[in-house]
Amino acid sequence: DTGVSQNPRHKITKRGQNVTFRCDPISEHNRLYWYRQTLGQGPEFLTYFQNEAQLEKSRLLSDRFSAERPKGSFSTLEIQRTEQGDSAMYLCASSLAIELNTEAFFGQGTRLTVV
Amino acid sequence: AQKVTQAQTEISVVEKEDVTLDCVYETRDTTYYLFWYKQPPSGELVFLIRRNSFDEQNEISGRYSWNFQKSTSSFNFTITASQVVDSAVYFCALSESLGGGYQKVTFGTGTKLQVIP
């Protein structure tokens, strides 16, 4: 296993189009997180899953955003009707939910540009 | 609400100099975790260290050292004898500990470190 994998690495889309990103976590990790990072800022939490259950969603996750993790393995993040303000790096992370194990491993991110 | 402040936006040092990156945090939790991550130009976040709120011992790992002071809510990171490969954006982060491991993390805005050869 080579770590958390995100696809695509880069996506350019026209405003109003829908986009979907995929995250493949480290195989034994049961927690999966999505973050968004805009230029010059730190990553901001969007949502997280434990197995297939989505346990928390940030207020940043508007109704145009939806995340799924149907089988508790990979996850998808879909943005509908993209806006220029959605342009950012979308980061996925995974971790193993065992007490005292608090290291999350991040993928390389998907950079979205909305034109 | 949790908050992490990294007041230094950018720092430039000459190779072999020591550099300290500052981090100040705010939280109402009594149990929390603090982290440092490195983000090289490739974009991937690389985990450097995690400390819990009950462990105020300073830590050293090679050229890296961390100074956790609960009294001042600070968790500073020092790189000794900096190298060009240390050039990156460094993020300090704070996590709520709700039991069961890693939870929602609040990141600072990052400090961009440039090490000049």
Side-chain angles (χ1 to χ4, degrees):
Chain A
D1 193 308
T2 56
V4 178
S5 176
Q6 291 189 247
N7 288 288
R9 292 289 309 280
H10 303 274
K11 177 71 176 178
I12 300 174
T13 190
K14 290 184 179 178
R15 190 175 52 187
Q17 298 292 307
N18 299 344
V19 293
T20 300
F21 312 140
R22 177 178 169 126
C23 171
D24 287 272
I26 293 172
S27 58
E28 65 269 24
H29 285 184
N30 52 356
R31 283 195 173 167
L32 186 147
Y33 312 81
W34 285 99
Y35 285 81
R36 181 175 70 184
Q37 186 179 19
T38 53
L39 203 60
Q41 299 296 316
E44 297 171 292
F45 171 81
L46 291 179
T47 187
Y48 93 89
F49 293 83
Q50 180 148 328
N51 300 314
E52 65 275 8
Q54 189 172 17
L55 296 186
E56 188 166 351
K57 296 197 302 186
S58 160
R59 279 177 252 176
L60 292 175
L61 213 66
S62 75
D63 56 7
R64 295 184 298 105
F65 287 70
S66 62
E68 293 183 345
R69 195 183 184 198
K71 296 181 181 178
S73 56
F74 73 91
S75 176
T76 57
L77 178 67
E78 180 183 16
I79 308 174
Q80 296 182 325
R81 305 181 304 281
T82 52
E83 301 172 356
Q84 286 189 319
D86 297 331
S87 295
M89 173 81 87
Y90 290 84
L91 292 161
C92 175
S94 70
S95 70
L96 193 56
I98 294 176
E99 190 65 52
L100 301 183
N101 180 344
T102 54
E103 177 182 349
F105 294 83
F106 281 84
Q108 291 187 296
T110 295
R111 184 169 294 284
L112 173 66
T113 303
V114 181
V115 297
Chain B
Q2 298 185 128
K3 186 177 178 181
V4 177
T5 301
Q6 294 180 256
Q8 304 149 308
T9 306
E10 291 191 39
I11 301 176
S12 290
V13 298
V14 176
E15 200 171 19
K16 297 184 183 176
E17 286 184 347
D18 299 347
V19 59
T20 294
L21 309 182
D22 297 332
C23 173
V24 175
Y25 63 91
E26 295 175 30
T27 180
R28 293 181 182 175
D29 294 338
T30 54
T31 302
Y32 52 88
Y33 290 87
L34 293 162
F35 305 81
W36 276 94
Y37 284 89
K38 174 181 180 180
Q39 189 173 43
S42 62
E44 185 173 359
L45 279 168
V46 178
F47 168 85
L48 295 178
I49 189 172
R50 166 189 65 90
R51 301 308 299 274
N52 75 52
S53 51
F54 298 110
D55 182 2
E56 289 191 69
Q57 279 195 342
N58 292 329
E59 183 160 338
I60 297 174
S61 175
R63 297 185 296 107
Y64 296 168
S65 62
W66 290 271
N67 184 342
F68 176 27
Q69 294 201 348
K70 213 167 176 178
S71 60
T72 56
S73 297
S74 66
F75 186 44
N76 296 337
F77 172 31
T78 298
I79 301 174
T80 303
S82 59
Q83 300 175 2
V84 173
V85 293
D86 296 327
S87 297
V89 180
Y90 290 85
F91 290 98
C92 180
L94 168 66
S95 167
E96 298 173 79
S97 175
L98 302 179
Y102 191 103
Q103 294 287 352
K104 182 171 63 177
V105 175
T106 301
F107 285 82
T109 51
T111 297
K112 184 176 182 179
L113 173 65
Q114 184 178 16
V115 181
I116 303 165

